[in-house]
Amino acid sequence: MLRISDFSKLSGASVKALRYYDQLGLLKPAFVDSESGYRYYSEEQLLTVKRIAAFKEQGFTLEDIKTFLEDDVSLHVVKDQLASKKHELLEAISTAQRQLAEVNERLRRVENESKKGPRHSRVAIRRIPPQLVASIRDIVPRTRLCVLLEEVTQYVKAHGETADGSLMILWHDRSTLEEDHEERVELEVAIPLTRELPDSARVKVRLLPEVESAASLVHDCDPYASDCAAIHDALDWASSNGYAPVDSEPIRETYLTPDQDMYGRMRRSELIVPVQNISASSAS
C-alpha cells in the first residue's frame, strides 16, 4: 500500500487531483485510515490512473471517464460516447480550419498593407468618379457616427450586398472637421454599391456626383478623435498651390481600412476636398 503522497509521485497525478478523483468516485483509495484520515492506494491502481490520463489526453471529461471505468459498462455505451466525441472533435477541427484560413487571409492583407509605403502621403490633385452608394444623411451628435455607419452597413447586407466597399463620410458642415466639435453635426455616411437597391425611410440610394478636381490626402485617421488634423494639411496645401475649396461640395472621408483590419486606434483613410484652381482662373 502506498500513502497518497508516494502514490502521487509514482503515478504522476497530483495529490489535489487524486483527492478530486476520490470526491467524484472516479478513483477511490484502497484504504482510508479511520483515525488519521490518511489515504492509501494499491499498486494495481496505477493502471487506473494511466487509463484516466489517456482518456483526458483525448479530450474526454471526467464524467465521461467515470462511465468508461464502470465495471459493467456496455460496449454499446462506449461506442455512443466515442462517436459523440468524434463528432465534437470533427466540429472543432472544422472551426480551427476556418479560423486558420481567416488568420492567413488577415496575414496576407497585413503583408500587402506593409508594402504600400508611407502611412501619410502627400496631397495630390485627382478626379473622383461618380459612385452609386447607399447613404444616411442626418444631423446628430458626432459620437453617433459609428451608429450610423453600422445602420447603413446592416441595411446593405440585408439586401444582398457584401458591404466590403470602403465606408465613406460626407461632411456637409465643414466647420466640424476643422475644430474639436462635440455639438450636433450634419453628415452623411455611405457605402459603395454594385447595383441599385430600394430606398427606405432612412437609407437613400443615390449617385454621388463626380468631383472633377479634389485634393486627396491618404493618411492615418483616428476614428475615435473628435477632430481631424489632416484637414488642415490638405487646406494649407491647397491654398499654397493655388487652389481653393469648393464650399458647395462636402468634404469626403473614405475609410480604406475595414473595421476588422484595424490594429490600435488608427485606420488608413483618404480625405477628399473638392477644390478649384484659382490661379488658373485668375490667369484666364
Side-chain angles (χ1 to χ4, degrees):
M1 301 287 281
L2 301 169
R3 292 181 60 171
I4 189 171
S5 57
D6 296 326
F7 187 77
S8 171
K9 293 176 183 178
L10 194 59
S11 66
S14 68
V15 170
K16 182 179 179 180
L18 291 171
R19 287 175 176 162
Y20 189 50
Y21 294 166
D22 182 11
Q23 180 183 340
L24 292 178
L26 196 63
L27 178 61
K28 290 287 186 181
F31 171 73
V32 178
D33 190 308
S34 59
E35 294 184 4
S36 65
Y38 288 156
R39 293 173 171 87
Y40 292 87
Y41 293 82
S42 66
E43 289 81 352
E44 290 85 354
Q45 288 181 300
L46 288 171
L47 174 59
T48 302
V49 174
K50 289 184 178 180
R51 293 172 64 196
I52 292 172
F55 287 129
K56 286 176 66 178
E57 281 289 321
Q58 294 165 1
F60 289 101
T61 67
L62 293 180
E63 286 298 323
D64 293 333
I65 297 171
K66 186 176 179 181
T67 301
F68 292 151
L69 298 181
E70 291 175 355
D71 293 339
D72 57 349
V73 63
S74 71
L75 291 180
H76 178 73
V77 170
V78 171
K79 180 180 178 182
D80 286 346
Q81 288 199 207
L82 292 176
S84 177
K85 173 56 67 175
K86 176 182 177 181
H87 178 72
E88 177 186 326
L89 292 173
L90 287 173
E91 285 192 338
I93 290 171
S94 177
T95 299
Q97 288 175 333
R98 174 183 56 78
Q99 291 172 334
L100 177 60
E102 291 173 354
V103 169
N104 281 333
E105 175 59 21
R106 184 181 288 270
L107 179 61
R108 183 192 65 79
R109 293 197 300 267
V110 169
E111 290 173 343
N112 288 341
E113 188 71 16
S114 65
K115 298 176 183 177
K116 291 182 179 179
R119 301 289 295 181
H120 194 102
S121 69
R122 295 182 178 181
V123 179
I125 298 296
R126 77 180 187 91
R127 168 185 168 273
I128 309 298
Q131 174 66 61
L132 181 69
V133 298
S135 72
I136 298 176
R137 182 170 177 172
D138 206 346
I139 300 175
V140 295
R142 183 164 181 158
T143 54
R144 286 191 59 83
L145 174 60
C146 288
V147 176
L148 294 182
L149 288 169
E150 182 65 17
E151 183 179 350
V152 72
T153 297
Q154 293 303 322
Y155 183 85
V156 166
K157 287 183 176 179
H159 286 80
E161 287 278 284
T162 61
D164 289 336
S166 301
L167 297 171
M168 289 187 285
I169 308 167
L170 285 74
W171 301 95
H172 292 278
D173 184 354
R174 180 168 299 169
S175 66
T176 61
L177 265 177
E178 299 181 47
E179 59 187 37
D180 187 347
H181 196 99
E182 294 291 347
E183 301 299 322
R184 293 167 66 86
V185 298
E186 184 177 7
L187 54 82
E188 183 177 3
V189 296
I191 294 181
L193 298 175
T194 61
R195 58 185 176 85
E196 288 278 355
L197 296 182
D199 289 344
S200 74
R202 291 274 293 166
V203 180
K204 304 301 177 186
V205 175
R206 72 184 187 94
L207 189 68
L208 287 183
E210 173 187 17
V211 179
E212 292 185 359
S213 179
S216 165
L217 176 59
V218 176
H219 64 290
D220 275 351
C221 173
D222 182 355
Y224 299 98
S226 58
D227 63 345
C228 180
I231 184 62
H232 302 291
D233 295 337
L235 291 175
D236 289 346
W237 182 93
S239 176
S240 300
N241 287 272
Y243 291 90
V246 178
D247 294 334
S248 60
E249 292 291 333
I251 291 177
R252 303 182 190 181
E253 190 171 11
T254 302
Y255 290 154
L256 304 178
T257 302
D259 295 348
Q260 65 270 21
D261 285 344
M262 276 188 65
Y263 301 97
R265 290 179 63 91
M266 311 302 284
R267 73 195 305 171
R268 181 167 288 195
S269 305
E270 181 183 17
L271 186 69
I272 298 171
V273 183
V275 295
Q276 56 184 347
N277 190 333
I278 55 176
S279 60
S281 300
S282 300
S284 60

